[in-house]
Amino acid sequence: MRKALWAVSAAAVMVVGSGASAAAGDRVIAPESDVAHHGHVSLTDGWLAVWLLSESHGPSSLTNATVRLSFSVPLAGVQELPAGCLWAEDRVVFCATGSLPAGGVGRQLALDLRTVGTPDEVVVTVGTQWNGGATDRNPQNNEHRVLVPATGDRYVF
């Protein structure tokens, strides 16, 4: 009996540790990955510059995740986005992070966006839209709300 329990426990640890999902009866064990987004934003004369790096603090790797960037002011017309990014709404952009190895980083994102007019400030909200169904027990490091005055300074998140 002990050998059987040991074998089942070892198998469960291997499945959870590998980041794969496993069915345990009607329960599904999801991988755990602490996704984090960090970067900086600046606003100068109606130009909004966003630099972002996503990472996984583990314990599991992710094949991809999607970060959501939303803006409190309207953005001017049709603007080109980096590869892997798309407009979800007129003030919301989704970007793929690329693979996030456990303890590693995804791709760097740099967005240069034009606002309508020259606002005195913009609020930029950054967050995970999708993480492949992984459990994230520390969402505080991937949900940010940044007030960006039009000073040209970098505001870090």
Side-chain angles (χ1 to χ4, degrees):
M1 182 68 168
R2 280 191 174 156
K3 284 184 180 181
L5 286 175
W6 173 251
V8 169
S9 297
V13 167
M14 289 174 54
V15 168
V16 171
S18 71
S21 296
D26 27 346
R27 295 181 302 150
V28 174
I29 300 170
E32 183 178 342
S33 183
D34 179 16
V35 175
H37 307 294
H38 299 290
H40 55 81
V41 185
S42 63
L43 177 63
T44 307
D45 297 325
W47 284 100
L48 186 63
V50 180
W51 183 86
L52 175 80
L53 183 64
S54 299
E55 57 190 311
S56 169
H57 295 294
S60 299
S61 298
L62 296 175
T63 55
N64 203 350
T66 305
V67 63
R68 175 190 67 254
L69 302 162
S70 61
F71 309 96
S72 64
V73 300
L75 300 172
V78 177
Q79 299 184 56
E80 190 172 329
L81 295 173
C85 295
L86 58 87
W87 290 101
E89 297 175 24
D90 60 344
R91 296 182 188 190
V92 178
V93 174
F94 289 161
C95 293
T97 63
S99 65
L100 297 173
V105 298
R107 68 185 186 115
Q108 295 180 26
L109 293 172
L111 290 88
D112 241 351
L113 302 170
R114 183 86 177 125
T115 63
V116 171
T118 54
D120 292 331
E121 63 186 29
V122 174
V123 175
V124 178
T125 305
V126 179
T128 301
Q129 179 68 27
W130 177 80
N131 68 357
T135 300
D136 187 343
R137 296 178 194 225
N138 184 19
Q140 294 81 14
N141 61 3
N142 63 331
E143 299 290 332
H144 307 283
R145 190 172 161 92
V146 186
L147 175 63
V148 187
T151 62
D153 296 323
R154 290 180 175 174
Y155 293 90
V156 177
F157 59 90

